[in-house]
Amino acid sequence: MKQYLLPETGVFYKVNMHSHSSCSDGENTPEEIKKAYKAKGYAAVAFTEHEYILDVTHLTDDEFIAITAYEYDYNACKSSPSVYAGHDAPPSFDLQECMHLNMYAKDPNNFKAVCYNPELVSCGNSKLHRDTVQYIGDGKFEQEFTVENFNEVIRTAKENGFLVTYNHPGWSLNNYETYSGLEGLDGFEISNGLEIWTGSSADDCAPAVYDQMLRRGKRIMCVAGDDNHFESGFFKAWTMIKADEFTYDALIGGLEKGNCYASTGPEIFELFVEDGKVTVRCSEAKHIDYFTAGRRIRVQTAPKGGDLLTEATFKINPNDVYFRITVRDEDGGRANTRGYWLDELDCFKTQEQ
């Protein structure tokens, strides 16, 4: 009997999960961003302005959903460490670790930021809004660059109706000690369009970071977003969310359930388990990879000079703990599924019983 890992029913909606307009440090207005993305077939954009929540509900219509969101920044706060151990002077921003978290509101009318301090708002035009931001608490939250402090922000955000993802660890200069202790996350930004556009090697590190977090037992989905600040950064990375209807609640619900995959090119049409094997059906691919918690990795590759792959099946080993699939096309684009844990699979639950 088939168990669909991405729902059999419903529709995939293309979403940019990370976007900056001229209301923070981007070049384009929210209206211009909507027009451009809608013309390219996107169903939704999350407007993740730095450090405050922009009301974009007026942009939602029958064909487009504006997701209420913001990016919480630890940008070189007073306790941010320098990544250069030999730096004996106050380090520049370029050498300091950061921590960026995207907050997605489950309710489109939730505009209250968490763990807020107006004195810490420093990014672009976000500064113009520091005295008008709606927030929860007394507005004097002290940022300390510690895992405990990050987790307080994550916990507070989730208690107040947000989904939380961890962004671009490469650009943030984060190391294992920084991200391995993060608790309560809903997701991880496995592909960041800004890093792809600028040619940074940071994007190449993100799948490895995702696996490290999964191996720590963090059951989080993966997303992708443009992190666009300019038109030249549009349409680089996106998240496909499957939902039964085109509503705000259904999109956010699909994201929260992990009914999604992250892509910089390929499409995934079906993903299901049957008879102890997982099958993926997809757009044309040069390689399809099966990653696990351990060293057992399998790859199917299109024959040289032959047809490209549109399907692959992999046998699941009871020792795999989890697996995830990556589809790679000829242009270097990748589609990444989330990690699927074997105790989620009906066939292994039956074996255990």
Side-chain angles (χ1 to χ4, degrees), residues 167-178:
N167 298 342
H168 48 60
W171 181 89
S172 297
L173 304 182
N174 295 151
N175 54 36
Y176 182 78
E177 288 74 17
T178 298

Side-chain angles (χ1 to χ4, degrees), residues 285-305:
K286 186 67 176 175
H287 309 276
I288 301 177
D289 309 314
Y290 174 88
F291 294 98
T292 72
R295 296 187 179 90
R296 203 179 83 85
I297 296 172
R298 297 291 181 264
V299 181
Q300 292 190 25
T301 300
K304 188 174 182 179

Side-chain angles (χ1 to χ4, degrees), residues 127-252:
K127 293 179 290 187
L128 303 177
H129 303 273
R130 57 162 57 124
D131 295 325
T132 61
V133 170
Q134 299 180 53
Y135 54 83
I136 295 166
D138 61 8
K140 297 179 181 179
F141 183 79
E142 292 295 328
Q143 287 186 350
E144 295 293 334
F145 204 87
T146 64
V147 172
E148 291 76 18
N149 200 242
F150 306 152
N151 286 341
E152 182 178 354
V153 174
I154 295 168
R155 181 174 60 254
T156 304
K158 291 178 68 65
E159 288 173 352
N160 287 279
F162 292 93
L163 302 180
V164 184
T165 63
Y166 166 45
N167 298 342
H168 48 60
W171 181 89
S172 297
L173 304 182
N174 295 151
N175 54 36
Y176 182 78
E177 288 74 17
T178 298
Y179 57 74
S180 63
L182 296 178
E183 298 293 343
L185 289 169
D186 296 286
F188 171 72
E189 188 177 68
I190 197 168
S191 295
N192 179 285
L194 182 61
E195 293 168 351
I196 298 169
W197 169 59
T198 57
S200 166
S201 63
D203 176 71
D204 295 331
C205 300
V209 172
Y210 185 47
D211 275 318
Q212 289 173 350
M213 297 183 79
L214 292 175
R215 288 173 185 137
R216 291 278 295 183
K218 302 181 190 302
R219 300 194 177 208
I220 54 178
M221 45 83 174
C222 61
V223 300
D226 277 337
D227 196 0
N228 53 280
H229 293 71
F230 315 98
E231 285 189 33
S232 51
F234 288 3
F235 321 129
K236 306 297 182 184
W238 55 88
T239 303
M240 300 296 289
I241 303 175
K242 202 164 197 186
D244 286 330
E245 57 183 0
F246 185 57
T247 64
Y248 191 101
D249 288 347
L251 274 186
I252 292 295

